[in-house]
Amino acid sequence: METLSVSASHGGTQGVYAHQSAATGTRMTFSVFVPPQAKAGPVPVVWYLSGLTCTHANVTEKGEYRRLCAELGLMFVAPDTSPRGEGVADDPAGSWDFGLGAGFYVDATEAPYAANYRMWSYITDELPALIAAEFPADMSRQSITGHSMGGHGALTIALSFPDRFRAVSAFAPIVAPAQVPWGHKALGGYLGPDTAAWRKHDAVALIEDGARVADILVDQGEADGFLAEQLKPHLLADACAKAGIGLTLRMQPGYDHSYYFISSFMDDHLRWHAERLA
Amino acid sequence: METLSVSASHGGTQGVYAHQSAATGTRMTFSVFVPPQAKAGPVPVVWYLSGLTCTHANVTEKGEYRRLCAELGLMFVAPDTSPRGEGVADDPAGSWDFGLGAGFYVDATEAPYAANYRMWSYITDELPALIAAEFPADMSRQSITGHSMGGHGALTIALSFPDRFRAVSAFAPIVAPAQVPWGHKALGGYLGPDTAAWRKHDAVALIEDGARVADILVDQGEADGFLAEQLKPHLLADACAKAGIGLTLRMQPGYDHSYYFISSFMDDHLRWHAERLA
């Protein structure tokens, strides 16, 4: 692991790191905020998965999480959203919702993406091992959140590893990729046309198929331009109601899809996580 | 005035705006956060002047000021740091510490900069009139802060308009440009070789020449790579001590010159301002 930068921040340290990933076959960059409490021993870990077009940098710069992570004693880990670099296949059409910056947190099975687009393995296996080895992390206390495509990642990963994550939340998540255009394109492109293979990467389908978590916090802006066509939080509400999952879905009047929205509610999400990580 | 973007944030609105400036002869961009209290009537205004290379965007994205401005009822205005656009003279050497992004909050008198580099008039005259006309601002309650070159701007403007600003603070300010390389280059380039003309744009010289404010808050990172050569806060401390100005100078161990430093102490500065704007 290589340290790209470390700055003191809110009493802790905000670092950016890179390493050669075996999962993706590429150099991967991520950021970690270590709160001051880590000087006294390992601290719980909040994972934040970012949305389409983002790298680790968006939430690191605009997420406004450090003040409260420092107060609550939470480590905050922000990975990249796809493999990158020379030789990594991108969408031939150059779109922003598939390929680079749009890994959708799956292990691709379709050529040419299967070679590098293995974000599921990277996020659920390789990077946690690196965090455990290199940082003062209490890996028995982890939680996960994310935005948009990263909310999809957080929900599907939490539902797939209910014993690992003590809390899950999301900002404006894609809740049912199999039912929306972004998901059709991504899951079709990475996993192929057999929609049976998509179900373990669709939060609503996972719940329908029996996956469970205790509760979920979701914030969704009502002025979000992607709400009606791509996000459809009512599908998650319906699935949770049928499954007995305690969903707190907060529709936020006037808020859009940007980091101005995310940062406005970051404190509430961190408190939700801290209560469940205590 | 043209609205470039407005987003709901922390219960208020974060906007980015542009207008044709008579002072600079260019199109100028700035950001304004309007807190929720403005729905009930005009609110006090905190001016934030940015440092070298910055636009309005740096603090708007990374400053972490909105949460507390929304709580305390403060408007937060972030202007650009220089004129920009076709025909605006830049440093022929292309450096980052003179010309574009480095206006130093002076009205240039030297060719070719005198044509557009009139940031003093822009910040102290033209933009306040626009803010008063277009936003729910209580212009009888203003304060000012800034970072690095913007700290220099905040200090010199507050010392020059003691009846306008009820509070002044700075993050890692240039306190005595006439005594450091950045200042020699900028004041020499914009104002010419007669150093007598520099004194009204040098906080330490202004205080030596009799300018007064009640008190000043300054935070300075001890790991700031510009501290020893360019910033020299002890010069401000000496001048304030002799003048009877109440300087609170906090040296912050481990902190660098970045927005990770600024955002860590933004809350303290906003509270300092709010107490004096009440």
Side-chain angles (χ1 to χ4, degrees), chain A:
Chain A
M1 187 180 82
E2 181 189 351
T3 300
L4 302 184
S5 69
V6 177
S7 290
S9 183
H10 290 281
T13 56
Q14 178 63 62
V16 180
Y17 308 91
H19 68 124
Q20 185 63 28
S21 165
T24 68
T26 64
R27 179 178 161 92
M28 295 292 287
T29 304
F30 61 96
S31 83
V32 179
F33 176 72
V34 178
Q37 292 84 349
K39 291 167 195 152
V43 294
V45 180
V46 177
W47 292 83
Y48 178 94
L49 304 184
S50 293
L52 288 166
T53 77
C54 290
T55 69
H56 72 281
N58 303 69
V59 73
T60 305
E61 296 176 353
K62 305 180 191 178
E64 302 189 12
Y65 56 82
R66 280 176 289 272
R67 184 191 104 268
L68 200 56
C69 282
E71 181 182 321
L72 299 172
L74 303 175
M75 186 178 296
F76 191 97
V77 179
D80 204 347
T81 54
S82 79
R84 298 178 193 272
E86 218 173 322
V88 174
D90 194 6
D91 184 353
S95 67
W96 54 271
D97 56 3
F98 186 79
L100 297 181
F104 264 84
Y105 306 102
V106 303
D107 284 348
T109 52
E110 295 292 294
Y113 305 104
N116 302 112
Y117 285 79
R118 300 183 57 79
M119 291 300 292
W120 181 266
S121 292
Y122 178 69
I123 298 290
T124 66
D125 184 18
E126 186 179 23
L127 189 55
L130 186 70
I131 296 295
E134 299 280 356
F135 294 90
D138 177 355
M139 302 303 279
S140 73
R141 292 190 289 163
Q142 297 183 66
S143 68
I144 192 163
T145 184
H147 172 232
S148 195
M149 176 185 74
H152 147 73
L155 292 170
T156 54
I157 290 172
L159 286 160
S160 301
F161 296 92
D163 296 336
R164 184 187 299 183
F165 298 100
R166 294 200 193 176
V168 56
S169 73
F171 302 86
I174 304 169
V175 303
Q179 302 185 48
V180 303
W182 276 344
H184 276 210
K185 182 173 180 178
L187 300 183
Y190 294 132
L191 303 177
D194 179 3
T195 59
W198 300 8
R199 294 189 67 80
K200 72 171 186 171
H201 294 291
D202 180 301
V204 165
L206 278 163
I207 293 169
E208 289 172 354
D209 293 347
R212 293 292 180 269
V213 293
D215 49 17
I216 305 172
L217 170 63
V218 170
D219 275 304
Q220 172 64 57
E222 291 187 348
D224 184 329
F226 301 115
L227 172 55
E229 189 182 6
Q230 305 282 7
L231 304 176
K232 297 182 183 285
H234 64 279
L235 296 175
L236 181 65
D238 292 347
C240 285
K242 282 182 196 153
I245 294 173
L247 173 67
T248 301
L249 171 60
R250 308 192 308 183
M251 299 303 292
Q252 303 287 1
Y255 283 85
D256 60 25
H257 199 65
S258 73
Y259 271 90
Y260 295 120
F261 156 68
I262 298 169
S263 60
S264 295
F265 301 104
M266 181 61 81
D267 278 13
D268 293 347
H269 285 244
L270 292 173
R271 291 191 193 284
W272 171 278
H273 288 249
E275 284 169 12
R276 287 156 182 78
L277 291 165

